[in-house]
mmCIF file of all heavy atoms in Angstrom:
data_model
loop_
_atom_site.group_PDB
_atom_site.id
_atom_site.type_symbol
_atom_site.label_atom_id
_atom_site.label_comp_id
_atom_site.label_asym_id
_atom_site.label_seq_id
_atom_site.Cartn_x
_atom_site.Cartn_y
_atom_site.Cartn_z
ATOM 1 N N SER A 224 97.365 124.620 97.570
ATOM 2 C CA SER A 224 98.594 124.217 96.874
ATOM 3 C C SER A 224 99.630 123.708 97.868
ATOM 4 O O SER A 224 100.290 122.691 97.620
ATOM 5 C CB SER A 224 99.166 125.383 96.078
ATOM 6 O OG SER A 224 98.281 125.785 95.069
ATOM 7 N N ALA A 225 99.771 124.405 98.983
ATOM 8 C CA ALA A 225 100.728 123.975 100.007
ATOM 9 C C ALA A 225 100.326 122.625 100.583
ATOM 10 O O ALA A 225 101.181 121.749 100.798
ATOM 11 C CB ALA A 225 100.822 125.026 101.111
ATOM 12 N N TYR A 226 99.022 122.433 100.836
ATOM 13 C CA TYR A 226 98.555 121.147 101.353
ATOM 14 C C TYR A 226 98.812 120.030 100.347
ATOM 15 O O TYR A 226 99.230 118.934 100.715
ATOM 16 C CB TYR A 226 97.066 121.200 101.691
ATOM 17 C CG TYR A 226 96.713 122.124 102.829
ATOM 18 C CD1 TYR A 226 95.485 122.768 102.862
ATOM 19 C CD2 TYR A 226 97.592 122.373 103.876
ATOM 20 C CE1 TYR A 226 95.155 123.626 103.903
ATOM 21 C CE2 TYR A 226 97.272 123.222 104.909
ATOM 22 C CZ TYR A 226 96.044 123.846 104.920
ATOM 23 O OH TYR A 226 95.707 124.689 105.949
ATOM 24 N N MET A 227 98.576 120.340 99.072
ATOM 25 C CA MET A 227 98.806 119.330 98.039
ATOM 26 C C MET A 227 100.293 118.974 97.959
ATOM 27 O O MET A 227 100.649 117.800 97.811
ATOM 28 C CB MET A 227 98.283 119.829 96.694
ATOM 29 C CG MET A 227 96.768 119.858 96.616
ATOM 30 S SD MET A 227 96.092 120.658 95.154
ATOM 31 C CE MET A 227 96.786 119.682 93.851
ATOM 32 N N LYS A 228 101.163 119.972 98.063
ATOM 33 C CA LYS A 228 102.604 119.709 98.041
ATOM 34 C C LYS A 228 103.004 118.860 99.239
ATOM 35 O O LYS A 228 103.795 117.924 99.116
ATOM 36 C CB LYS A 228 103.388 121.025 98.049
ATOM 37 C CG LYS A 228 103.373 121.746 96.732
ATOM 38 C CD LYS A 228 104.149 123.053 96.807
ATOM 39 C CE LYS A 228 104.036 123.837 95.516
ATOM 40 N NZ LYS A 228 104.711 125.142 95.609
ATOM 41 N N THR A 229 102.435 119.195 100.409
ATOM 42 C CA THR A 229 102.756 118.437 101.618
ATOM 43 C C THR A 229 102.290 116.995 101.478
ATOM 44 O O THR A 229 103.017 116.062 101.815
ATOM 45 C CB THR A 229 102.101 119.095 102.848
ATOM 46 O OG1 THR A 229 102.557 120.436 102.954
ATOM 47 C CG2 THR A 229 102.429 118.337 104.111
ATOM 48 N N ILE A 230 101.084 116.814 100.981
ATOM 49 C CA ILE A 230 100.554 115.464 100.812
ATOM 50 C C ILE A 230 101.384 114.688 99.794
ATOM 51 O O ILE A 230 101.716 113.517 100.010
ATOM 52 C CB ILE A 230 99.061 115.518 100.420
ATOM 53 C CG1 ILE A 230 98.233 115.979 101.625
ATOM 54 C CG2 ILE A 230 98.571 114.169 99.926
ATOM 55 C CD1 ILE A 230 96.781 116.276 101.306
ATOM 56 N N THR A 231 101.768 115.346 98.690
ATOM 57 C CA THR A 231 102.601 114.698 97.686
ATOM 58 C C THR A 231 103.949 114.307 98.286
ATOM 59 O O THR A 231 104.452 113.201 98.054
ATOM 60 C CB THR A 231 102.806 115.627 96.473
ATOM 61 O OG1 THR A 231 101.534 115.979 95.947
ATOM 62 C CG2 THR A 231 103.657 114.981 95.406
ATOM 63 N N LYS A 232 104.515 115.214 99.069
ATOM 64 C CA LYS A 232 105.801 114.935 99.714
ATOM 65 C C LYS A 232 105.671 113.743 100.661
ATOM 66 O O LYS A 232 106.526 112.851 100.677
ATOM 67 C CB LYS A 232 106.265 116.178 100.479
ATOM 68 C CG LYS A 232 107.605 116.053 101.127
ATOM 69 C CD LYS A 232 107.988 117.351 101.821
ATOM 70 C CE LYS A 232 109.288 117.227 102.569
ATOM 71 N NZ LYS A 232 109.618 118.456 103.283
ATOM 72 N N LEU A 233 104.580 113.706 101.440
ATOM 73 C CA LEU A 233 104.376 112.591 102.361
ATOM 74 C C LEU A 233 104.130 111.283 101.606
ATOM 75 O O LEU A 233 104.600 110.224 102.026
ATOM 76 C CB LEU A 233 103.207 112.894 103.299
ATOM 77 C CG LEU A 233 103.475 113.973 104.357
ATOM 78 C CD1 LEU A 233 102.198 114.315 105.106
ATOM 79 C CD2 LEU A 233 104.556 113.526 105.322
ATOM 80 N N GLN A 234 103.403 111.366 100.491
ATOM 81 C CA GLN A 234 103.180 110.154 99.694
ATOM 82 C C GLN A 234 104.497 109.645 99.107
ATOM 83 O O GLN A 234 104.756 108.438 99.091
ATOM 84 C CB GLN A 234 102.180 110.436 98.574
ATOM 85 C CG GLN A 234 100.755 110.555 99.061
ATOM 86 C CD GLN A 234 99.784 110.974 97.954
ATOM 87 O OE1 GLN A 234 100.195 111.542 96.945
ATOM 88 N NE2 GLN A 234 98.514 110.709 98.162
ATOM 89 N N ASP A 235 105.346 110.567 98.627
ATOM 90 C CA ASP A 235 106.658 110.176 98.103
ATOM 91 C C ASP A 235 107.505 109.532 99.202
ATOM 92 O O ASP A 235 108.162 108.508 98.974
ATOM 93 C CB ASP A 235 107.393 111.373 97.507
ATOM 94 C CG ASP A 235 106.747 111.882 96.229
ATOM 95 O OD1 ASP A 235 105.938 111.139 95.637
ATOM 96 O OD2 ASP A 235 107.046 113.034 95.836
ATOM 97 N N GLU A 236 107.476 110.140 100.389
ATOM 98 C CA GLU A 236 108.221 109.595 101.524
ATOM 99 C C GLU A 236 107.683 108.209 101.890
ATOM 100 O O GLU A 236 108.457 107.287 102.186
ATOM 101 C CB GLU A 236 108.120 110.543 102.724
ATOM 102 C CG GLU A 236 108.934 110.137 103.923
ATOM 103 C CD GLU A 236 110.426 110.249 103.702
ATOM 104 O OE1 GLU A 236 110.861 111.041 102.851
ATOM 105 O OE2 GLU A 236 111.172 109.526 104.390
ATOM 106 N N ASN A 237 106.367 108.072 101.849
ATOM 107 C CA ASN A 237 105.742 106.781 102.155
ATOM 108 C C ASN A 237 106.164 105.739 101.120
ATOM 109 O O ASN A 237 106.490 104.595 101.482
ATOM 110 C CB ASN A 237 104.217 106.949 102.172
ATOM 111 C CG ASN A 237 103.513 105.764 102.779
ATOM 112 O OD1 ASN A 237 104.112 104.941 103.440
ATOM 113 N ND2 ASN A 237 102.223 105.669 102.541
ATOM 114 N N ASP A 238 106.157 106.111 99.830
ATOM 115 C CA ASP A 238 106.594 105.187 98.782
ATOM 116 C C ASP A 238 108.061 104.802 98.973
ATOM 117 O O ASP A 238 108.437 103.641 98.782
ATOM 118 C CB ASP A 238 106.393 105.812 97.401
ATOM 119 C CG ASP A 238 104.924 105.947 97.020
ATOM 120 O OD1 ASP A 238 104.078 105.274 97.654
ATOM 121 O OD2 ASP A 238 104.617 106.746 96.105
ATOM 122 N N LYS A 239 108.891 105.768 99.328
ATOM 123 C CA LYS A 239 110.308 105.521 99.557
ATOM 124 C C LYS A 239 110.490 104.536 100.716
ATOM 125 O O LYS A 239 111.268 103.584 100.618
ATOM 126 C CB LYS A 239 111.014 106.846 99.862
ATOM 127 C CG LYS A 239 112.487 106.743 100.106
ATOM 128 C CD LYS A 239 113.077 108.115 100.389
ATOM 129 C CE LYS A 239 114.504 108.031 100.854
ATOM 130 N NZ LYS A 239 115.031 109.346 101.221
ATOM 131 N N LEU A 240 109.738 104.768 101.797
ATOM 132 C CA LEU A 240 109.834 103.871 102.954
ATOM 133 C C LEU A 240 109.322 102.470 102.615
ATOM 134 O O LEU A 240 109.881 101.469 103.080
ATOM 135 C CB LEU A 240 109.061 104.452 104.141
ATOM 136 C CG LEU A 240 109.679 105.698 104.775
ATOM 137 C CD1 LEU A 240 108.753 106.271 105.837
ATOM 138 C CD2 LEU A 240 111.041 105.383 105.373
ATOM 139 N N ARG A 241 108.272 102.391 101.803
ATOM 140 C CA ARG A 241 107.781 101.072 101.371
ATOM 141 C C ARG A 241 108.832 100.356 100.534
ATOM 142 O O ARG A 241 109.020 99.146 100.645
ATOM 143 C CB ARG A 241 106.487 101.233 100.582
ATOM 144 C CG ARG A 241 105.302 101.480 101.460
ATOM 145 C CD ARG A 241 104.025 101.520 100.674
ATOM 146 N NE ARG A 241 102.904 101.825 101.554
ATOM 147 C CZ ARG A 241 101.715 102.182 101.164
ATOM 148 N NH1 ARG A 241 101.464 102.295 99.871
ATOM 149 N NH2 ARG A 241 100.755 102.431 102.026
ATOM 150 N N GLY A 242 109.509 101.109 99.669
ATOM 151 C CA GLY A 242 110.592 100.534 98.873
ATOM 152 C C GLY A 242 111.708 100.013 99.759
ATOM 153 O O GLY A 242 112.246 98.916 99.533
ATOM 154 N N GLN A 243 112.077 100.783 100.780
ATOM 155 C CA GLN A 243 113.107 100.346 101.711
ATOM 156 C C GLN A 243 112.663 99.097 102.469
ATOM 157 O O GLN A 243 113.454 98.184 102.701
ATOM 158 C CB GLN A 243 113.439 101.463 102.698
ATOM 159 C CG GLN A 243 114.213 102.608 102.105
ATOM 160 C CD GLN A 243 114.459 103.737 103.110
ATOM 161 O OE1 GLN A 243 113.943 103.700 104.216
ATOM 162 N NE2 GLN A 243 115.231 104.718 102.704
ATOM 163 N N LEU A 244 111.380 99.070 102.845
ATOM 164 C CA LEU A 244 110.841 97.912 103.553
ATOM 165 C C LEU A 244 110.886 96.680 102.656
ATOM 166 O O LEU A 244 111.266 95.592 103.103
ATOM 167 C CB LEU A 244 109.400 98.194 104.007
ATOM 168 C CG LEU A 244 108.726 97.119 104.839
ATOM 169 C CD1 LEU A 244 109.473 96.915 106.148
ATOM 170 C CD2 LEU A 244 107.291 97.486 105.120
ATOM 171 N N THR A 245 110.543 96.850 101.391
ATOM 172 C CA THR A 245 110.597 95.739 100.438
ATOM 173 C C THR A 245 112.033 95.256 100.287
ATOM 174 O O THR A 245 112.291 94.042 100.271
ATOM 175 C CB THR A 245 110.029 96.178 99.075
ATOM 176 O OG1 THR A 245 108.701 96.658 99.259
ATOM 177 C CG2 THR A 245 110.023 95.043 98.083
ATOM 178 N N THR A 246 112.973 96.187 100.170
ATOM 179 C CA THR A 246 114.387 95.836 100.049
ATOM 180 C C THR A 246 114.853 95.084 101.286
ATOM 181 O O THR A 246 115.564 94.069 101.186
ATOM 182 C CB THR A 246 115.243 97.102 99.842
ATOM 183 O OG1 THR A 246 114.749 97.826 98.726
ATOM 184 C CG2 THR A 246 116.695 96.766 99.632
ATOM 185 N N LEU A 247 114.453 95.565 102.456
ATOM 186 C CA LEU A 247 114.828 94.888 103.698
ATOM 187 C C LEU A 247 114.209 93.500 103.771
ATOM 188 O O LEU A 247 114.858 92.543 104.222
ATOM 189 C CB LEU A 247 114.401 95.721 104.906
ATOM 190 C CG LEU A 247 115.208 96.983 105.183
ATOM 191 C CD1 LEU A 247 114.587 97.767 106.334
ATOM 192 C CD2 LEU A 247 116.650 96.637 105.506
ATOM 193 N N ASP A 248 112.974 93.365 103.325
ATOM 194 C CA ASP A 248 112.332 92.049 103.317
ATOM 195 C C ASP A 248 113.069 91.094 102.381
ATOM 196 O O ASP A 248 113.286 89.929 102.710
ATOM 197 C CB ASP A 248 110.863 92.167 102.895
ATOM 198 C CG ASP A 248 109.971 92.730 103.982
ATOM 199 O OD1 ASP A 248 110.414 92.754 105.154
ATOM 200 O OD2 ASP A 248 108.832 93.140 103.665
ATOM 201 N N GLU A 249 113.457 91.601 101.207
ATOM 202 C CA GLU A 249 114.191 90.763 100.260
ATOM 203 C C GLU A 249 115.533 90.356 100.825
ATOM 204 O O GLU A 249 115.942 89.196 100.720
ATOM 205 C CB GLU A 249 114.371 91.501 98.936
ATOM 206 C CG GLU A 249 113.101 91.662 98.127
ATOM 207 C CD GLU A 249 113.263 92.556 96.910
ATOM 208 O OE1 GLU A 249 114.395 93.052 96.671
ATOM 209 O OE2 GLU A 249 112.270 92.751 96.195
ATOM 210 N N SER A 250 116.253 91.299 101.435
ATOM 211 C CA SER A 250 117.561 90.961 102.009
ATOM 212 C C SER A 250 117.388 90.017 103.196
ATOM 213 O O SER A 250 118.214 89.133 103.419
ATOM 214 C CB SER A 250 118.323 92.221 102.414
ATOM 215 O OG SER A 250 117.690 92.851 103.510
ATOM 216 N N ASP A 251 116.284 90.178 103.934
ATOM 217 C CA ASP A 251 115.989 89.286 105.051
ATOM 218 C C ASP A 251 115.716 87.875 104.530
ATOM 219 O O ASP A 251 116.178 86.896 105.099
ATOM 220 C CB ASP A 251 114.788 89.812 105.839
ATOM 221 C CG ASP A 251 114.577 89.097 107.150
ATOM 222 O OD1 ASP A 251 115.591 88.725 107.788
ATOM 223 O OD2 ASP A 251 113.400 88.896 107.529
ATOM 224 N N GLU A 252 114.979 87.783 103.414
ATOM 225 C CA GLU A 252 114.705 86.481 102.812
ATOM 226 C C GLU A 252 116.003 85.839 102.317
ATOM 227 O O GLU A 252 116.215 84.638 102.489
ATOM 228 C CB GLU A 252 113.723 86.631 101.652
ATOM 229 C CG GLU A 252 112.305 86.924 102.074
ATOM 230 C CD GLU A 252 111.377 87.189 100.884
ATOM 231 O OE1 GLU A 252 111.783 86.968 99.721
ATOM 232 O OE2 GLU A 252 110.244 87.623 101.137
ATOM 233 N N LYS A 253 116.891 86.658 101.710
ATOM 234 C CA LYS A 253 118.174 86.128 101.242
ATOM 235 C C LYS A 253 119.010 85.637 102.416
ATOM 236 O O LYS A 253 119.613 84.571 102.353
ATOM 237 C CB LYS A 253 118.932 87.203 100.462
ATOM 238 C CG LYS A 253 118.366 87.493 99.108
ATOM 239 C CD LYS A 253 119.156 88.586 98.401
ATOM 240 C CE LYS A 253 118.512 88.958 97.074
ATOM 241 N NZ LYS A 253 119.218 90.068 96.413
ATOM 242 N N SER A 254 119.049 86.437 103.482
ATOM 243 C CA SER A 254 119.845 86.022 104.639
ATOM 244 C C SER A 254 119.237 84.780 105.283
ATOM 245 O O SER A 254 119.958 83.893 105.737
ATOM 246 C CB SER A 254 119.991 87.157 105.649
ATOM 247 O OG SER A 254 118.735 87.502 106.188
ATOM 248 N N ASN A 255 117.906 84.697 105.300
ATOM 249 C CA ASN A 255 117.263 83.490 105.833
ATOM 250 C C ASN A 255 117.611 82.283 104.957
ATOM 251 O O ASN A 255 117.850 81.187 105.471
ATOM 252 C CB ASN A 255 115.745 83.663 105.885
ATOM 253 C CG ASN A 255 115.313 84.557 107.036
ATOM 254 O OD1 ASN A 255 116.073 84.825 107.947
ATOM 255 N ND2 ASN A 255 114.071 85.024 106.973
ATOM 256 N N PHE A 256 117.622 82.479 103.643
ATOM 257 C CA PHE A 256 117.989 81.387 102.743
ATOM 258 C C PHE A 256 119.397 80.897 103.035
ATOM 259 O O PHE A 256 119.663 79.692 103.123
ATOM 260 C CB PHE A 256 117.867 81.865 101.285
ATOM 261 C CG PHE A 256 118.382 80.869 100.293
ATOM 262 C CD1 PHE A 256 117.643 79.728 99.989
ATOM 263 C CD2 PHE A 256 119.612 81.044 99.671
ATOM 264 C CE1 PHE A 256 118.121 78.803 99.085
ATOM 265 C CE2 PHE A 256 120.089 80.124 98.767
ATOM 266 C CZ PHE A 256 119.349 78.990 98.462
ATOM 267 N N PHE A 257 120.329 81.858 103.234
ATOM 268 C CA PHE A 257 121.718 81.466 103.524
ATOM 269 C C PHE A 257 121.820 80.781 104.884
ATOM 270 O O PHE A 257 122.596 79.837 105.040
ATOM 271 C CB PHE A 257 122.646 82.693 103.465
ATOM 272 C CG PHE A 257 122.885 83.191 102.070
ATOM 273 C CD1 PHE A 257 122.577 84.487 101.716
ATOM 274 C CD2 PHE A 257 123.427 82.347 101.095
ATOM 275 C CE1 PHE A 257 122.799 84.935 100.427
ATOM 276 C CE2 PHE A 257 123.647 82.807 99.804
ATOM 277 C CZ PHE A 257 123.335 84.106 99.470
ATOM 278 N N VAL A 258 121.044 81.212 105.840
ATOM 279 C CA VAL A 258 121.061 80.560 107.163
ATOM 280 C C VAL A 258 120.558 79.126 107.024
ATOM 281 O O VAL A 258 121.158 78.186 107.575
ATOM 282 C CB VAL A 258 120.203 81.361 108.179
ATOM 283 C CG1 VAL A 258 119.960 80.569 109.443
ATOM 284 C CG2 VAL A 258 120.887 82.674 108.519
ATOM 285 N N TYR A 259 119.465 78.936 106.291
ATOM 286 C CA TYR A 259 118.932 77.579 106.099
ATOM 287 C C TYR A 259 119.930 76.706 105.330
ATOM 288 O O TYR A 259 120.145 75.537 105.653
ATOM 289 C CB TYR A 259 117.593 77.613 105.367
ATOM 290 C CG TYR A 259 116.477 78.247 106.174
ATOM 291 C CD1 TYR A 259 115.585 79.119 105.570
ATOM 292 C CD2 TYR A 259 116.326 77.965 107.530
ATOM 293 C CE1 TYR A 259 114.565 79.703 106.300
ATOM 294 C CE2 TYR A 259 115.312 78.541 108.261
ATOM 295 C CZ TYR A 259 114.428 79.418 107.651
ATOM 296 O OH TYR A 259 113.422 79.999 108.370
ATOM 297 N N LEU A 260 120.545 77.271 104.307
ATOM 298 C CA LEU A 260 121.545 76.541 103.539
ATOM 299 C C LEU A 260 122.722 76.150 104.421
ATOM 300 O O LEU A 260 123.211 75.015 104.358
ATOM 301 C CB LEU A 260 122.004 77.394 102.348
ATOM 302 C CG LEU A 260 123.008 76.749 101.401
ATOM 303 C CD1 LEU A 260 122.388 75.527 100.709
ATOM 304 C CD2 LEU A 260 123.488 77.749 100.366
ATOM 305 N N LEU A 261 123.167 77.079 105.239
ATOM 306 C CA LEU A 261 124.269 76.818 106.164
ATOM 307 C C LEU A 261 123.897 75.730 107.150
ATOM 308 O O LEU A 261 124.711 74.835 107.442
ATOM 309 C CB LEU A 261 124.656 78.107 106.891
ATOM 310 C CG LEU A 261 125.884 78.067 107.783
ATOM 311 C CD1 LEU A 261 127.134 77.728 106.974
ATOM 312 C CD2 LEU A 261 126.072 79.377 108.495
ATOM 313 N N LEU A 262 122.668 75.768 107.656
ATOM 314 C CA LEU A 262 122.208 74.722 108.577
ATOM 315 C C LEU A 262 122.173 73.357 107.890
ATOM 316 O O LEU A 262 122.562 72.336 108.483
ATOM 317 C CB LEU A 262 120.829 75.071 109.134
ATOM 318 C CG LEU A 262 120.785 76.198 110.169
ATOM 319 C CD1 LEU A 262 119.326 76.512 110.532
ATOM 320 C CD2 LEU A 262 121.556 75.819 111.414
ATOM 321 N N VAL A 263 121.740 73.341 106.633
ATOM 322 C CA VAL A 263 121.715 72.077 105.883
ATOM 323 C C VAL A 263 123.135 71.557 105.682
ATOM 324 O O VAL A 263 123.420 70.364 105.863
ATOM 325 C CB VAL A 263 120.974 72.267 104.542
ATOM 326 C CG1 VAL A 263 121.169 71.064 103.627
ATOM 327 C CG2 VAL A 263 119.499 72.498 104.779
ATOM 328 N N VAL A 264 124.054 72.453 105.308
ATOM 329 C CA VAL A 264 125.454 72.053 105.106
ATOM 330 C C VAL A 264 126.042 71.523 106.407
ATOM 331 O O VAL A 264 126.722 70.489 106.432
ATOM 332 C CB VAL A 264 126.285 73.238 104.536
ATOM 333 C CG1 VAL A 264 127.778 72.945 104.567
ATOM 334 C CG2 VAL A 264 125.843 73.561 103.129
ATOM 335 N N ILE A 265 125.763 72.218 107.516
ATOM 336 C CA ILE A 265 126.265 71.768 108.828
ATOM 337 C C ILE A 265 125.688 70.399 109.165
ATOM 338 O O ILE A 265 126.397 69.499 109.645
ATOM 339 C CB ILE A 265 125.955 72.800 109.921
ATOM 340 C CG1 ILE A 265 126.815 74.056 109.705
ATOM 341 C CG2 ILE A 265 126.201 72.235 111.309
ATOM 342 C CD1 ILE A 265 126.460 75.212 110.620
#
């Protein structure tokens, strides 16, 4: 039971980190879009 709880906790943490990574990738894509747009405007 303790091992299962630990594994579940680690899986939840892994899912949370993947979500954060996805969010960072999306914000990175948005910032890249704005950089490209700014370069085009310049």
Side-chain angles (χ1 to χ4, degrees):
S224 297
Y226 294 149
M227 288 171 59
K228 285 179 185 176
T229 302
I230 289 171
T231 303
K232 183 178 176 183
L233 289 173
Q234 286 174 339
D235 291 343
E236 184 69 25
N237 193 16
D238 290 343
K239 181 180 171 184
L240 290 174
R241 282 185 183 166
Q243 288 177 354
L244 184 62
T245 303
T246 305
L247 287 175
D248 285 344
E249 289 172 1
S250 68
D251 191 36
E252 287 175 10
K253 287 179 185 177
S254 64
N255 284 345
F256 173 75
F257 288 122
V258 168
Y259 293 138
L260 183 64
L261 187 61
L262 287 175
V263 169
V264 169
I265 290 172

